[in-house]
Amino acid sequence: MSPKPVRKAVIPAAGLGTRFLPFSKAVPKEMLPVVDQPVIQYVVEEAVDAGIEDILIVTSRYKKSIEDHFDRLLEIEKQLADKGKEAEAEQIRSIAELAQLHFVRQGQPLGLGHAIGMARNHIGDEPFLVLLGDDIMHPEAGVVKGMIEAYQEHACSVVALMEVPKQDISSYGCAAVSEVSDRLVEVSELVEKPAPEVAPSNLAIMGRYLFTPTIFEEIAQTKPGVGGEIQITDAMSSLLGREKMLGYTFAEGRFDTGKKIDYLRAVVELALERDDLGDEFRSILGTIAKREGLT
Ligand code: G1P
């Protein structure tokens, strides 16, 4: 029997965003603009490109602008249409039609595992994707598409993994693995944010997960871990005792927009790829690079 299709995704976007203060005092970090689109729109588009039809976004208080962004904006649509700017009007309209979007609020900051657990009723008995709301993946990296293919072949949970310098592993969930094929590894151990000296590897979890619904049973049993929060990595670690789990390894194409330096890189790289801005921006960057003695 072939495994159930992956139709649904969860985007946790409830975190406080303290790394992006003072910006994130009043505006959710997921609404940071990368050129002219908020980060979370890239994430929703990534899910839709991978064939996802239904998306649940987990938000929290002060994050209402995320819901507004994916709503219709009739006044502006009409104004643009009246001025004959049909393409622009359509662009605004299409954001509300990307997928069936649903929202739930995490009332207390109890952790990523808890936020994902809030999706249990909505997801039901299906496999589902989780895409962290402040990580952008370059479309060419094809990470979630690769993860879905791995799920279709192996019918088990799959997590995105990337090698990081050993001293950085304490910022991530860490996986011990054995090789399966070119990109796939089997996960044997998971630890959330280990100290580099005790980390079982330098393979870090990178904000994309594909879970079987069994994960909800494990989340419900998971006690607070690192930082006093219910960690998804701990729930995954318990899942390892019940089900096989694969890692999908990749080397580039991720921007952690929750980190200032990576946010800047995302803006530069993605602006350079734009048909309407790329050439002009490239020439500006060239001038700056010369002035800074970089070329
Ligand atoms: C979360 C996860 C961690 C993962 C990381 C990826 O941590 O808990 O396992 O490696 O996302 O960005 P956070 O960045 O929320 O501290």
Side-chain angles (χ1 to χ4, degrees):
M1 206 175 75
S2 61
K4 287 187 180 169
V6 185
R7 298 183 309 119
K8 295 182 179 175
V10 177
I11 302 182
L16 296 173
T18 46
R19 285 187 297 176
F20 241 103
L21 286 167
F23 171 83
S24 54
K25 269 182 82 183
V27 184
K29 63 182 163 123
E30 295 81 6
M31 290 300 289
L32 273 163
V34 173
V35 191
D36 51 8
Q37 255 184 223
V39 169
I40 195 159
Q41 189 180 328
Y42 289 89
V43 180
V44 166
E45 287 175 353
E46 179 192 346
V48 171
D49 273 356
I52 297 297
E53 300 156 8
D54 178 299
I55 299 174
L56 177 70
I57 303 184
V58 184
T59 66
S60 57
R61 188 173 286 271
Y62 310 121
K63 299 236 176 182
K64 212 179 146 288
S65 56
I66 297 180
E67 288 180 48
D68 291 344
H69 182 73
F70 292 102
D71 199 354
R72 296 287 297 271
L73 190 56
L74 297 177
E75 309 89 281
I76 302 276
E77 286 171 27
K78 186 170 176 312
Q79 237 180 60
L80 289 168
D82 288 350
K83 286 187 188 151
K85 296 186 170 172
E86 215 16 84
E88 286 86 341
E90 175 50 29
Q91 197 194 16
I92 302 294
R93 191 178 313 124
S94 65
I95 297 171
E97 288 163 1
L98 280 167
Q100 290 172 45
L101 286 163
H102 310 268
F103 297 88
V104 63
R105 277 193 187 192
Q106 187 188 26
Q108 303 173 74
L110 297 179
L112 180 59
H114 179 265
I116 296 170
M118 296 208 59
R120 187 172 191 166
N121 283 345
H122 185 86
I123 298 294
D125 192 27
E126 292 191 30
F128 65 104
L129 272 175
V130 174
L131 303 95
L132 300 192
D134 52 8
D135 272 9
I136 294 181
M137 293 286 181
H138 195 284
E140 273 165 27
V143 175
V144 290
K145 285 185 192 159
M147 291 169 69
I148 291 174
E149 277 167 27
Y151 169 78
Q152 279 157 350
E153 194 178 334
H154 299 270
C156 66
S157 295
V158 187
V159 58
L161 298 173
M162 189 166 101
E163 280 188 26
V164 298
K166 195 79 187 229
Q167 70 271 18
D168 295 345
I169 197 74
S170 55
S171 303
Y172 298 96
C174 173
V177 302
S178 54
E179 204 172 312
V180 172
S181 63
D182 194 20
R183 282 199 177 271
L184 294 183
V185 290
E186 181 160 351
V187 177
S188 55
E189 187 189 346
L190 289 163
V191 195
E192 178 67 3
K193 303 197 171 86
E197 320 74 85
V198 297
S201 79
N202 63 342
L203 268 180
I205 298 177
M206 285 298 167
R208 298 293 181 266
Y209 311 79
L210 196 168
F211 289 124
T212 63
T214 323
I215 193 67
F216 290 120
E217 293 170 26
E218 298 305 331
I219 292 172
Q221 303 294 325
T222 301
K223 303 271 176 297
V226 173
E229 296 186 349
I230 296 172
Q231 298 290 350
I232 190 63
T233 308
D234 294 342
M236 292 162 70
S237 184
S238 312
L239 186 63
L240 284 178
R242 293 175 67 178
E243 290 182 358
K244 175 168 124 168
M245 187 183 297
L246 291 175
Y248 178 88
T249 59
F250 71 106
E252 52 194 29
R254 174 198 185 235
F255 306 100
D256 177 0
T257 63
K259 258 196 208 150
K260 284 170 217 174
I261 200 73
D262 226 20
Y263 167 71
L264 293 171
R265 194 171 63 88
V267 173
V268 172
E269 297 258 11
L270 297 173
L272 284 172
E273 291 179 10
R274 288 273 295 250
D275 290 341
D276 56 343
L277 295 166
D279 290 344
E280 200 180 341
F281 188 48
R282 191 166 291 105
S283 123
I284 293 172
L285 286 183
T287 311
I288 297 174
K290 244 186 226 145
R291 190 190 69 207
E292 297 294 318
L294 299 172
T295 56

